[in-house]
């Protein structure tokens, strides 16, 4: 009988593993919360060295410092820039919604090396997006904003007309984030 009861009790190794998982999960949530708290309400500085690129048919102001809300989507040079740019098709309806409401502008910033300027510009021009991309060749965007973490979950955020971060997350990823985004934007307008 004692043998049967002991088989139902978790082994020490199982308990250790369970505790380790709980600690890692808790640390991960705390780390995410700290990154969020470190970023929210910070002021984004947009360097003057950003290079606007579009298909040539899109009228745009080559100054990303417009006086309205801006959804910045940052593509780090460590990511596959070409892949991420192709993935921007999901932003088309999102952009068209912003274009109709005139509440915010989409501001994609792509950090690249100067050797990739031609290929990335070619890709952007030939995908015919209805918005302008901004190329960051000198990695000056991150240098101007050192509080932005390397975690790509924090590379999409909404800034107010003064440049202050008021929402963090990519609203095109799921309906919950989209609802949160619009709720945040509506509460600020």
């Amino acid at each position: 009988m004692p043998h049967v009861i002991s088989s139902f009790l978790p082994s020490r190794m199982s308990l250790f593993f369970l505790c380790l998982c709980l600690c890692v999960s808790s640390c991960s949530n705390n780390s995410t919360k700290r990154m969020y708290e470190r970023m929210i309400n910070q002021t984004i500085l947009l360097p003057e060295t950003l290079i606007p690129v579009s298909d040539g048919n899109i009228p745009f102001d080559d100054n990303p410092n417009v006086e309205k809300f801006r959804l910045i989507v940052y593509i780090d040079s460590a990511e596959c820039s070409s892949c991420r740019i192709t993935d921007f098709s999901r932003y088309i309806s999102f952009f068209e919604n912003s274009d109709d409401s005139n509440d915010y502008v989409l501001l994609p910033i792509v950090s690249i090396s100067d050797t990739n300027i031609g290929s990335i510009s070619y890709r952007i021009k030939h995908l015919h997006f209805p918005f302008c991309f901004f190329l960051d060749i000198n990695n000056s965007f991150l240098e101007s904003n050192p509080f932005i973490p390397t975690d790509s979950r924090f590379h999409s955020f909404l800034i107010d007309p003064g440049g202050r971060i008021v929402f963090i997350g990519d609203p095109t990823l799921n309906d919950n984030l989209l609802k949160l985004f619009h709720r945040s934007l509506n509460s600020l307008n």
Side-chain angles (χ1 to χ4, degrees):
M1 187 71 153
H3 178 62
V4 173
I5 293 173
S6 68
S7 67
F8 288 110
L9 295 175
S11 69
R12 285 186 181 181
M13 186 57 101
S14 297
L15 282 174
F16 173 75
F17 184 71
L18 179 63
C19 288
L20 181 64
C21 287
L22 288 173
C23 287
V24 168
S25 174
S26 174
C27 291
S28 175
N29 287 339
N30 285 338
S31 173
T32 301
K33 184 179 177 186
R34 279 193 304 274
M35 281 190 264
Y36 175 85
E37 289 172 346
R38 194 174 99 199
M39 269 187 80
I40 200 73
N41 292 319
Q42 289 280 353
T43 300
I44 291 292
L45 300 173
L46 295 171
E48 293 180 16
T49 57
L50 296 177
I51 300 170
V53 177
S54 75
D55 71 356
N57 296 320
I58 300 164
F60 64 90
D61 182 1
D62 63 357
N63 177 8
N65 289 302
V66 293
E67 288 297 318
K68 57 173 61 174
F69 286 90
R70 290 154 289 171
L71 177 64
I72 294 177
V73 180
Y74 175 69
I75 301 173
D76 195 329
S77 59
E79 299 178 65
C80 172
S81 299
S82 185
C83 304
R84 284 291 312 275
I85 289 168
T86 302
D87 189 40
F88 260 78
S89 59
R90 72 176 195 246
Y91 288 93
I92 292 174
S93 64
F94 186 78
F95 171 78
E96 288 169 349
N97 182 35
S98 75
D99 200 33
D100 291 341
S101 68
N102 207 24
D103 287 337
Y104 56 93
V105 295
L106 182 62
L107 189 64
I109 299 174
V110 185
S111 178
I112 60 171
S113 68
D114 55 357
T115 58
N116 290 337
I117 293 173
S119 63
I120 296 299
S121 295
Y122 178 84
R123 185 144 193 87
I124 291 169
K125 289 175 183 178
H126 287 83
L127 287 171
H128 302 290
F129 288 112
F131 42 81
C132 182
F133 283 78
F134 290 85
L135 303 183
D136 178 21
I137 295 161
N138 302 319
N139 206 23
S140 52
F141 179 71
L142 280 186
E143 287 174 9
S144 299
N145 304 287
F147 53 84
I148 296 175
T150 57
D151 186 333
S152 62
R153 295 177 298 168
F154 294 89
H155 289 178
S156 296
F157 44 87
L158 181 69
I159 61 175
D160 68 10
R164 187 176 53 94
I165 297 174
V166 293
F167 177 84
I168 300 171
D170 186 341
T172 66
L173 291 180
N174 62 54
D175 287 339
N176 289 334
L177 274 173
L178 183 61
K179 288 175 188 172
L180 273 173
F181 173 81
H182 284 296
R183 207 173 312 146
S184 297
L185 191 60
N186 290 337
S187 71
L188 295 166
N189 277 335

